[in-house]
Amino acid sequence: HRAYMAEFERGLQAADRKNGHDGQIGLPYWDWAHVPPGHPVFPPVFRNFRFPKDLLPRATRGTSETNRLQDEGYAEMLAKRDDTLRYTLKHFGAQIDRALSQPSYPVFASGDVGAGKSFETPHDSIHFAMGFPMSAIPYASYHPLFFCHPAQCDRVYEKYLQLEPDAAAEFRAHQLSLVQQRYQRESLY
């Protein structure tokens, strides 16, 4: 989500400057791994958010999931009780700690390599734990909480870079190898 969120933040900053401000704004994060006792799991602004019924044009209402978003909105997320979510989320903190302890960037970053030890595990688990629409890839971004989730992931990623400074070079090398692999595949055709 990093590129998507960076572009979204740049748009927010440009809009802020256009409105006469300094553009020094960013997305808030939702620290789902450490919810203080006595505090709601969902910040109230998110729990009280209601899906605007006219957000999607009628032409896009062809799929059952789109109809579900229009008909149910966030009912599934809103029905989740804080005590149930708190129990589920406490496991994600341990998953983050396990991912942060990985000295190899590919193990930290990828479920394909990390097999339950990577940060991808709690990232994906949050989407499913929250329920619809966060659990449906095409519709997750229709809830404002979606934007706070990657901001939290960025916090964890930055923490990993502090713990493993060589990870940035590993990341760049891995990205370069992916580009080279793609170029080699494309040149075969």
Side-chain angles (χ1 to χ4, degrees), residues 100-180:
L100 288 172
S101 72
Q102 302 308 312
S104 166
Y105 177 79
V107 175
F108 164 79
S110 172
D112 294 339
V113 178
K117 298 175 189 169
S118 78
F119 182 61
E120 195 172 357
T121 300
H123 164 269
D124 294 351
S125 298
I126 283 294
H127 281 280
F128 292 107
M130 295 301 100
F132 186 81
M134 285 284 285
S135 60
I137 292 172
Y139 301 99
S141 66
Y142 283 96
H143 193 284
L145 195 57
F146 169 82
F147 296 94
C148 298
H149 173 46
Q152 164 70 355
C153 294
D154 279 353
R155 289 181 68 233
V156 173
Y157 178 73
E158 290 300 323
K159 176 69 175 175
Y160 184 74
L161 291 179
Q162 290 172 8
L163 295 170
E164 298 290 338
D166 63 328
E170 283 185 77
F171 172 74
R172 284 190 295 278
H174 180 67
Q175 294 297 345
L176 181 59
S177 73
L178 293 175
V179 169
Q180 290 170 341

Side-chain angles (χ1 to χ4, degrees), residues 30 40-47 77-78 80 82 85 130 145:
W30 171 45
V41 173
F42 285 141
V45 68
F46 297 118
R47 185 165 291 282
M77 285 179 74
L78 295 174
K80 296 203 179 262
D82 268 2
L85 282 173
M130 295 301 100
L145 195 57

Side-chain angles (χ1 to χ4, degrees), residues 12-69:
L12 284 175
Q13 292 162 354
D16 190 57
R17 284 190 293 278
K18 187 175 180 180
N19 285 319
H21 303 285
D22 63 7
Q24 296 298 311
I25 61 173
L27 292 171
Y29 65 89
W30 171 45
D31 188 354
W32 37 258
H34 302 99
V35 178
H39 286 78
V41 173
F42 285 141
V45 68
F46 297 118
R47 185 165 291 282
N48 299 330
F49 185 81
R50 298 293 183 259
F51 184 78
K53 292 291 185 187
D54 61 348
L55 182 64
L56 296 175
R58 293 299 264 172
T60 64
R61 293 200 63 208
T63 69
S64 62
E65 290 292 317
T66 305
N67 290 335
R68 182 177 175 197
L69 187 59

